[in-house]
Amino acid sequence: MKKVFALLMAFAVMAQTFAAVSVTVPPKKASEVFIPIGNTGQKISVEALSQIKVKEFEQITGRDMKFADKVTFKMAQRELRKNISPDGTINSKKLNKVLAKVDGTTGFHIGGFALGFLLGLIGVLIAYLLKDEKKSNRVKWAWIGLGVVVVLVLLTSL
């Protein structure tokens, strides 16, 4: 019973370390960050979005904007242009964090979780072997998935 309690405490400490990690996102070029627009799945760069005309935006999204929507869009464009430096990098920490979540480099990664949950330690190893910009997020969620399986096995064995 002492071993089970020690193991549960270790998992509790590990879960706290995941929550305590702060995210520092390096500045990105506005021309290299793409966000989805409309229902068609088209993507546009943040730089192009800050400079696009209202009519062009309506054509891309496939919907007509009312006067209030057009005014709001223009104000958002002005604010977006303020957050882009003359060299093309995004200088707002808040905007960088939001755009990082759109990229999938942070937040829940279902593939990584499924690897750890369904395949166990082999899934974690597979997560380490796959190489792309989402690797660190996938590896983190593979470990969390493996941890969930271990906790469930321990709870069912009691």
Side-chain angles (χ1 to χ4, degrees):
M1 186 67 181
K2 290 181 183 179
K3 289 181 182 179
V4 172
F5 180 71
L7 186 63
L8 288 176
M9 290 304 291
F11 279 122
V13 169
M14 187 173 61
Q16 291 298 322
T17 59
F18 282 123
V21 174
S22 65
V23 177
T24 55
V25 180
K28 295 182 179 183
K29 291 273 189 184
S31 60
E32 297 173 356
V33 177
F34 289 89
I35 57 173
I37 298 238
N39 297 330
T40 60
Q42 288 183 323
K43 293 186 177 186
I44 187 170
S45 71
V46 173
E47 183 180 41
L49 183 63
S50 70
Q51 298 169 356
I52 194 170
K53 303 281 184 197
V54 174
K55 288 289 183 186
E56 295 171 358
F57 185 75
E58 287 177 336
Q59 289 175 349
I60 291 173
T61 58
R63 73 176 196 114
D64 291 328
M65 296 171 70
K66 297 179 183 175
F67 179 73
D69 295 334
K70 291 178 184 179
V71 171
T72 305
F73 178 73
K74 283 299 207 181
M75 288 180 2
Q77 271 188 319
R78 185 177 306 127
E79 196 64 34
L80 189 58
R81 280 193 294 267
K82 287 180 185 176
N83 289 322
I84 297 175
S85 299
D87 65 349
T89 59
I90 299 171
N91 60 10
S92 169
K93 292 179 184 178
K94 190 174 186 179
L95 186 59
N96 271 330
K97 286 182 183 179
V98 169
L99 292 174
K101 290 180 181 177
V102 171
D103 287 345
T105 56
T106 61
F108 180 69
H109 194 284
I110 186 121
F113 184 80
L115 281 171
F117 188 79
L118 299 174
L119 298 177
L121 193 56
I122 294 172
V124 173
L125 294 174
I126 291 171
Y128 274 108
L129 293 175
L130 299 175
K131 295 186 183 194
D132 62 356
E133 66 274 356
K134 300 174 188 174
K135 179 181 178 180
S136 63
N137 195 30
R138 181 179 44 253
V139 168
K140 176 181 89 169
W141 281 99
W143 278 109
I144 292 172
L146 177 64
V148 168
V149 167
V150 169
V151 169
L152 289 175
V153 167
L154 288 174
L155 289 175
T156 56
S157 67
L158 292 176

